[in-house]
């Protein structure tokens, strides 16, 4: 996000009538990043359909362009990517913007190129932990200089050797970084996670012909050439989550969300909401490029609290801020545990959600690895909300505003554009 972009303060008014209608959810961010990077790794011409318009995914395209990849948008969402036989040494620092996925996945590629690169990002990204990728990459023989394990990262490209890495955290960014380093390294590189994180990298690399295997929480990859194939990207369940949450808690709602990615490593939100008593139906389930896709029907529901912990956390890590909002409207206690990594996202999402919901009168107990909310609680309006430059905080608090007793104001709402520029227009269309 550029610093000279105007700040937008958004007034959110309570939604009186309920949400009604059908929407098509925009493309998945995780899949869009991967489609771009993996297509570039074919070193050929590839087509990508339904690419995200979010700024994060365009940061990935920017990094690839700096390495000599040509990107030609045929429509606003369909593109042709032409990757040179070999990546070119960039003439400047690579800029991952606000995107953790870009810097962490690309580091696995950059570490094995025959030249040095420097990759960095915006102020928020420069505060985020990179030790989680530096440690395994260094074990593979990579040479990386950092600012106390934070970006900018100076990556001195080298021939790497394979490792069998036990990751201390369940993180798809870390896993993908190691697998991308392993893709170009002789021998078998493996990563084992404490719990399975989103497996889009495994599915898409397999779709493109990589020698990759999963055994429980362990994924192994051998050096492979990728074959160019058209990639169709499903809708983003993490974006759908805001609409699902809104429809559940705004009275008299009944909506259909079409074309949503339903990969089981991402559908924790549906399982948790169903356990809370949500009326959610999946329609027309199908498979696209190895990923499960379907439509989701959601109606307003009487919800009860639940406990979310352990293996469930990586399946809904990005949805926890909006789950906090829904928990305020559920009867009884919702307890979230084992989610300490939520403090290392675009903001400390535990502290920030607690602080912003408290401005609306919510009682929420913050714990080191999660939070406890006992509902139902009245959400007071007339609050001025800060987003801390975090797109998911902005959208979660928008949903809170929809069930408040009077309007709220959300500062710097433009940060929504990081993942979901279409958010407000789509919501307005349903209200
Ligand atoms: C992502 C993985 C998750 C998630 C992020 C996108 C990905 O991060 O929070 O929004 O595309 O791999 P971690 O892997 O760090 O948990």
């Amino acid at each position: 996000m550029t610093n000279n972009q105007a700040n937008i303060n958004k007034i959110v008014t309570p939604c009186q009538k309920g949400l009604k209608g059908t929407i098509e959810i925009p493309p998945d961010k995780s899949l869009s990043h991967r489609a771009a990077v993996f297509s570039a790794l074919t070193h050929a011409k590839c087509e990508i359909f339904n690419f995200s318009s979010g700024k994060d995914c365009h940061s990935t395209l920017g990094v690839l362009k700096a390495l000599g990849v040509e990107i030609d948008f045929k429509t606003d969402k369909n593109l042709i990517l032409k990757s040179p036989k070999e990546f070119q040494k960039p003439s400047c620092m690579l800029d991952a913007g606000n995107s953790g996925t870009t810097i962490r996945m690309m580091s696995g590629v950059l570490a094995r190129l025959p030249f040095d690169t420097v990759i960095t990002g915006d102020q928020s990204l420069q505060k985020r932990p990179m030790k989680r990728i530096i440690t395994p990459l260094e074990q593979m023989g990579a040479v990386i200089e950092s600012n106390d394990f934070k970006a900018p990262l100076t990556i001195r490209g080298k021939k790497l050797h394979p490792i069998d890495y036990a990751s201390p955290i369940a993180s798809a960014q870390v896993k993908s970084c190691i697998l991308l380093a392993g893709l170009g390294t002789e021998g078998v590189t493996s990563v084992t996670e404490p719990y399975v994180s989103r497996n889009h990298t495994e599915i898409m690399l397999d779709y493109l012909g990589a020698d990759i295997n999963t055994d429980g929480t362990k994924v192994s990859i051998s050096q492979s050439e990728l074959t160019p194939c058209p990639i169709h990207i499903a809708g983003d369940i993490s974006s759908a989550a805001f609409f699902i949450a809104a429809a559940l808690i705004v009275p008299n709602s009944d909506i259909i969300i079409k074309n949503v990615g339903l990969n089981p490593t991402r559908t924790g939100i549906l399982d948790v909401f169903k356990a809370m008593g949500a009326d959610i139906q999946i329609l027309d389930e199908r498979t696209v490029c190895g990923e499960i896709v379907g439509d989701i029907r959601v109606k307003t529901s009487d919800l009860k609290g639940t406990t979310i912990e352990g293996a469930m956390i990586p399946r809904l890590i990005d949805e926890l801020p909006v789950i906090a909002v829904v928990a305020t409207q559920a009867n009884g206690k919702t307890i979230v545990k084992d989610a300490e990594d939520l403090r290392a996202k675009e903001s400390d999402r535990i502290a920030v959600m607690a602080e912003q919901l408290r401005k609306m009168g919510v009682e929420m107990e913050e714990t080191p690895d999660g939070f406890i909310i006992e509902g139902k609680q009245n959400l007071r309006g007339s609050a001025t909300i800060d987003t801390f430059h975090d797109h998911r905080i902005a959208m979660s608090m928008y949903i809170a505003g929809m069930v408040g007793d009077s309007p709220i104001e959300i500062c710097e709402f433009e940060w929504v554009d990081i993942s979901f520029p279409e958010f407000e227009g789509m919501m307005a269309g349903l209200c």
Side-chain angles (χ1 to χ4, degrees), residues 327-394:
T328 67
Q329 303 307 298
N331 290 301
K333 260 190 195 168
T334 294
I335 304 174
V336 172
K337 301 180 200 170
D338 304 323
E340 50 280 279
D341 214 40
L342 209 51
R343 294 192 182 276
K345 295 290 177 187
E346 285 84 331
S347 68
D348 175 342
R349 287 181 173 159
I350 298 175
V352 171
M353 280 309 289
E355 193 186 327
Q356 302 314 304
L357 283 173
R358 277 186 202 125
K359 290 181 182 171
M360 296 185 75
V362 170
E363 281 182 32
M364 169 169 172
E365 187 187 329
E366 214 188 295
T367 59
D369 64 344
F371 53 83
I372 303 168
I373 294 175
E374 185 153 11
K376 275 187 171 180
Q377 299 190 36
N378 179 45
L379 296 191
R380 223 171 40 214
S382 308
T384 303
I385 302 299
D386 295 307
T387 59
F388 288 80
H389 299 176
D390 185 333
H391 54 128
R392 296 199 203 280
I393 300 293

Side-chain angles (χ1 to χ4, degrees), residues 166-245:
S167 176
I169 47 171
S171 160
Q173 294 178 354
V174 172
K175 175 173 64 178
S176 302
C177 170
I178 298 165
L179 293 174
L180 287 175
L183 179 73
T185 300
E186 266 172 49
V188 181
T189 298
S190 305
V191 197
T192 307
E193 304 185 275
Y195 302 114
V196 177
S197 65
R198 65 191 66 190
N199 65 357
H200 302 304
T201 294
E202 295 88 308
I203 291 175
M204 202 182 286
L205 285 178
D206 179 61
Y207 174 73
L208 298 175
D211 183 358
I212 183 162
N213 294 295
T214 301
D215 181 8
T217 54
K218 181 170 184 167
V219 187
S220 304
I221 194 162
S222 303
Q223 189 170 34
S224 316
E225 298 292 324
L226 299 182
T227 311
C229 294
I231 300 176
H232 294 259
I233 294 169
D236 197 332
I237 191 163
S238 298
S239 299
F242 299 105
F243 292 85
I244 300 170

Side-chain angles (χ1 to χ4, degrees), residues 2-278:
T2 54
N3 293 331
N4 55 10
Q5 183 169 346
N7 292 341
I8 298 173
N9 286 5
K10 182 70 57 196
I11 305 291
V12 184
T13 49
C15 178
Q16 308 289 4
K17 289 189 310 219
L19 292 119
K20 295 268 188 297
T22 299
I23 49 168
E24 165 116 15
I25 208 71
D28 189 89
K29 190 157 87 85
S30 291
L31 288 171
S32 296
H33 286 295
R34 286 160 175 80
V37 175
F38 304 173
S39 293
L41 287 169
T42 65
H43 294 287
K45 182 175 165 187
C46 301
E47 266 184 295
I48 305 176
F49 297 92
N50 201 29
F51 190 83
S52 168
S53 56
K55 284 181 188 270
D56 271 4
C57 297
H58 283 257
S59 293
T60 291
L61 295 183
V63 169
L64 295 173
K65 277 188 200 164
L67 290 166
V69 176
E70 283 175 40
I71 316 264
D72 183 8
F73 272 90
K74 293 292 168 198
T75 67
D76 60 340
K77 291 206 168 125
N78 298 344
L79 63 93
I80 294 186
L81 181 151
K82 282 186 211 145
S83 183
K85 285 253 162 309
E86 284 172 0
F87 289 133
Q88 293 154 16
K89 183 172 165 52
S91 53
C92 55
M93 258 199 215
L94 300 170
D95 183 6
N98 190 247
S99 173
T101 309
T102 307
I103 194 168
R104 293 192 179 118
M105 285 209 318
M106 283 309 298
S107 295
V109 175
L110 300 173
R112 59 179 171 80
L113 294 183
F115 47 78
D116 298 350
T117 46
V118 183
I119 186 162
T120 189
D122 68 7
Q123 284 180 10
S124 152
L125 194 64
Q126 287 180 38
K127 291 191 193 118
R128 294 183 64 189
M130 295 299 148
K131 192 170 185 178
R132 54 185 63 195
I133 55 155
I134 294 175
T135 300
L137 287 176
E138 283 183 345
Q139 285 181 18
M140 294 182 80
V143 176
I144 301 176
E145 289 148 28
S146 67
N147 178 17
D148 197 17
F149 296 107
K150 307 233 163 61
L153 306 179
T154 300
I155 303 182
R156 308 217 175 270
K158 287 259 167 322
K159 190 168 184 237
L160 305 179
H161 52 78
I163 52 167
D164 183 359
Y165 188 66
S167 176
I169 47 171
S171 160
Q173 294 178 354
V174 172
K175 175 173 64 178
S176 302
C177 170
I178 298 165
L179 293 174
L180 287 175
L183 179 73
T185 300
E186 266 172 49
V188 181
T189 298
S190 305
V191 197
T192 307
E193 304 185 275
Y195 302 114
V196 177
S197 65
R198 65 191 66 190
N199 65 357
H200 302 304
T201 294
E202 295 88 308
I203 291 175
M204 202 182 286
L205 285 178
D206 179 61
Y207 174 73
L208 298 175
D211 183 358
I212 183 162
N213 294 295
T214 301
D215 181 8
T217 54
K218 181 170 184 167
V219 187
S220 304
I221 194 162
S222 303
Q223 189 170 34
S224 316
E225 298 292 324
L226 299 182
T227 311
C229 294
I231 300 176
H232 294 259
I233 294 169
D236 197 332
I237 191 163
S238 298
S239 299
F242 299 105
F243 292 85
I244 300 170
L248 287 176
I249 62 177
V250 173
N252 300 316
S253 299
D254 182 357
I255 62 167
I256 293 180
I257 311 171
K258 293 187 83 76
N259 192 35
V260 186
L262 295 174
N263 178 317
T265 63
R266 296 283 298 281
T267 49
I269 179 100
L270 301 181
D271 295 343
V272 161
F273 282 159
K274 281 185 189 160
M276 293 173 83

Side-chain angles (χ1 to χ4, degrees), residues 397-417:
M397 292 309 298
Y398 190 103
I399 308 304
M402 290 175 80
V403 290
D405 61 14
S406 60
I408 59 167
E409 182 174 14
I410 305 181
C411 302
E412 298 185 300
F413 195 71
E414 69 279 4
W415 282 87
V416 162
D417 293 354

